[in-house]
């Protein structure tokens, strides 16, 4: 009987302590990671002189082509799209195009000043123009453009589909 009384008294004390105690302590650890698998920025389309030609897309981040221009003023126009396939991140972009020479004017119109929002596509236009006549053997010029993207944090998931 004394044991039952002691158990009842301890139970009442525990309940009483819980009733008047107002501090609850919770300790834990949380880890925040970037989702690198979600970040994918790539060349998604290419039109050469108005005709779709995906052969100039070497891989997700490189365009490369060789063309022959033989008439002064002749041009080669490559319209391309860059897509941000990520839901979690916007993309800060840079693009570097190499391969021009003294005979060609290479102009790349692509907005790298503004971040490319998640699940959005942006268009650009690369134009080569023969600005000086050439008198030697054929001179083929290979132009290569490299796309670099850096993830930029967002507060909400991107909407739509890329």
């Amino acid at each position: 009987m004394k044991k039952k009384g002691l158990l009842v008294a301890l139970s009442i004390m525990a309940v009483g302590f819980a009733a008047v105690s107002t501090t609850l302590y919770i300790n834990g650890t949380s880890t925040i990671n970037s989702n690198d698998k979600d970040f994918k920025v790539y060349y998604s389309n290419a039109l050469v002189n108005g005709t779709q030609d995906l052969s100039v897309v070497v891989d997700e981040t490189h365009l490369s082509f060789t063309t022959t221009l033989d008439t002064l003023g002749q041009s080669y126009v490559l319209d391309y799209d860059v897509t941000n396939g990520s839901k979690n991140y916007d993309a800060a972009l840079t693009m570097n195009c190499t391969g021009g020479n003294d005979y060609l004017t290479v102009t790349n119109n692509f907005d790298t000043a503004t971040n490319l929002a998640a699940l959005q596509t942006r268009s650009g236009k690369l134009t080569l123009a023969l600005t000086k006549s050439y008198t030697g053997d054929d001179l083929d010029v290979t132009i290569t453009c490299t796309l670099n993207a850096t993830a930029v944090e967002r507060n909400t998931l991107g909407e739509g589909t890329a």
Side-chain angles (χ1 to χ4, degrees):
M1 186 70 171
K2 283 187 174 185
K3 287 183 181 181
K4 282 187 178 180
L6 186 58
L7 285 173
V8 169
L10 283 173
S11 296
I12 290 173
M13 286 176 55
V15 169
F17 176 75
V20 296
S21 178
T22 59
T23 305
L24 174 63
Y25 295 99
I26 299 175
N27 293 320
T29 302
S30 178
T31 302
I32 299 172
N33 290 323
S34 62
N35 185 357
D36 295 333
K37 293 177 185 173
D38 179 62
F39 189 64
K40 182 178 180 182
V41 177
Y42 56 96
Y43 288 109
S44 56
N45 196 18
L47 299 169
V48 174
N49 296 323
T51 304
Q52 186 175 34
D53 183 358
L54 295 178
S55 69
V56 300
V57 180
V58 176
D59 59 36
E60 292 179 344
T61 59
H62 293 90
L63 294 173
S64 185
F65 57 90
T66 301
T67 187
T68 301
L69 300 176
D70 56 13
T71 305
L72 196 58
Q74 184 179 6
S75 64
Y76 176 97
V77 178
L78 173 64
D79 293 295
Y80 58 88
D81 292 335
V82 174
T83 299
N84 180 356
S86 172
K87 288 182 182 180
N88 287 310
Y89 305 103
D90 290 344
L93 303 173
T94 59
M95 188 180 303
N96 184 30
C97 295
T98 60
N101 61 29
D102 292 340
Y103 300 94
L104 292 173
T105 298
V106 179
T107 306
N108 187 22
N109 292 321
F110 184 73
D111 179 12
T112 57
T114 307
N115 291 341
L116 180 57
L119 300 175
Q120 297 298 309
T121 298
R122 180 176 297 158
S123 296
K125 180 181 290 234
L126 180 71
T127 305
L128 307 179
L130 188 61
T131 57
K132 183 177 176 183
S133 59
Y134 181 69
T135 59
D137 293 334
D138 286 349
L139 179 64
D140 289 336
V141 177
T142 299
I143 305 293
T144 302
C145 293
T146 303
L147 175 67
N148 296 303
T150 304
V152 177
E153 298 171 354
R154 293 178 56 92
N155 293 326
T156 60
L157 285 178
E159 296 182 16
T161 58

